[in-house]
Amino acid sequence: GQQLNQSPQSMFIQEGEDVSMNCTSSSIFNTWLWYKQDPGEGPVLLIALYKAGELTSNGRLTAQFGITRKDSFLNISASIPSDVGIYFCAGRFQGAQKLVFGQGTRLTINP
Amino acid sequence: NAGVTQTPKFQVLKTGQSMTLQCAQDMNHNSMYWYRQDPGMGLRLIYYSASEGTTDKGEVPNGYNVSRLNKREFSLRLESAAPSQTSVYFCASSEALSGRGETQYFGPGTRLLVL
């Protein structure tokens, strides 16, 4: 099936550092979503993107829908301990009915 | 507003036993989904229901059945559990299957261990 490539798979950073992760595909997307999953919980929506080039912020988080419509990135500025978790991208390919999810990026923060 | 609720939160089964995972949403959403999450595999879609009265297979449907009991409830059944079905199961719902209402909202998960 069609695949989303999410990278990196894991990140180990110091508190206060900025974080960047991305998702890419060989196919065009109509929607990009970014979720965060805390340990032992279900994923929670962070940011939704619906237009190519769209740049949206949610507090210290910023996400962009790539101009080519084949990628998206999520940035976290000035990381804090509660940013720890797994971040998932999700999107809907043009012509597809359902969302597909990336494999996740596991973020670990050293205080 | 509870959102998406799942029961049980944790279950241990022996190989061959059956069980049903329950999911309910109070957001009046049309579409509902069942995913499994395994280490390094992300979220894989098992079954989904675009609207009340319809169900369709996802990426990994083998060994599972579903029932869309009404608009609120979507259950997942394991008829004969196998160790390979040890996983964390998430239910989700959305206003629609695609378009602006496609954002999915997830429940807290059911952790299943099959011995």
Side-chain angles (χ1 to χ4, degrees):
Chain A
Q2 293 168 314
Q3 295 291 325
L4 275 184
N5 297 312
Q6 184 170 353
S7 65
Q9 290 188 348
S10 61
M11 302 182 74
F12 298 86
I13 63 169
Q14 296 295 123
E15 183 177 351
E17 288 186 12
D18 295 342
V19 172
S20 184
M21 60 190 78
N22 69 85
C23 280
T24 61
S25 172
S26 57
S27 300
I28 290 174
F29 274 61
N30 285 344
T31 302
W32 283 103
L33 306 172
W34 285 93
Y35 286 85
K36 183 196 177 196
Q37 184 179 23
D38 290 327
E41 303 291 332
V44 174
L45 182 70
L46 297 173
I47 294 175
L49 303 162
Y50 298 103
K51 292 182 180 179
E54 183 178 356
L55 184 71
T56 299
S57 294
N58 179 4
R60 292 177 297 105
L61 278 62
T62 302
Q64 186 162 26
F65 194 141
I67 288 290
T68 64
R69 297 172 66 190
K70 294 182 179 180
D71 60 356
S72 178
F73 72 76
L74 175 71
N75 287 343
I76 305 172
S77 62
S79 59
I80 60 177
S82 62
D83 291 333
V84 165
I86 303 176
Y87 291 80
F88 290 99
C89 63
R92 184 166 58 81
F93 294 97
Q94 189 175 43
Q97 273 195 310
K98 306 179 300 301
L99 295 177
V100 292
F101 284 80
Q103 297 93 336
T105 295
R106 183 180 294 274
L107 179 62
T108 303
I109 298 175
N110 299 318
Chain B
N1 188 342
V4 180
T5 57
Q6 293 183 236
T7 56
K9 291 187 177 180
F10 183 74
Q11 183 73 47
V12 179
L13 292 177
K14 294 181 179 179
T15 296
Q17 287 185 317
S18 62
M19 77 161 295
T20 300
L21 283 65
Q22 307 287 353
C23 174
Q25 51 91 9
D26 62 3
M27 296 175 281
N28 200 35
H29 283 170
N30 291 305
S31 303
M32 299 185 72
Y33 313 80
W34 276 105
Y35 292 88
R36 61 178 289 173
Q37 184 178 32
D38 303 294
M41 301 291 287
L43 293 163
R44 292 186 292 171
L45 184 64
I46 304 172
Y47 270 94
Y48 67 100
S49 171
S51 60
E52 186 179 354
T54 69
T55 61
D56 286 285
K57 294 179 180 179
E59 181 185 355
V60 287
N62 291 344
Y64 306 95
N65 286 300
V66 291
S67 296
R68 183 74 182 267
L69 305 171
N70 47 55
K71 192 172 186 179
R72 290 186 65 249
E73 298 171 289
F74 189 37
S75 63
L76 178 72
R77 183 161 179 84
L78 287 70
E79 290 291 350
S80 178
S84 61
Q85 293 178 305
T86 293
S87 188
V88 181
Y89 291 85
F90 288 101
C91 177
S93 71
S94 64
E95 288 182 20
L97 200 60
S98 60
R100 285 287 174 132
E102 66 194 334
T103 299
Q104 294 181 20
Y105 297 86
F106 286 81
T110 293
R111 284 143 188 81
L112 176 65
L113 175 62
V114 183
L115 301 174

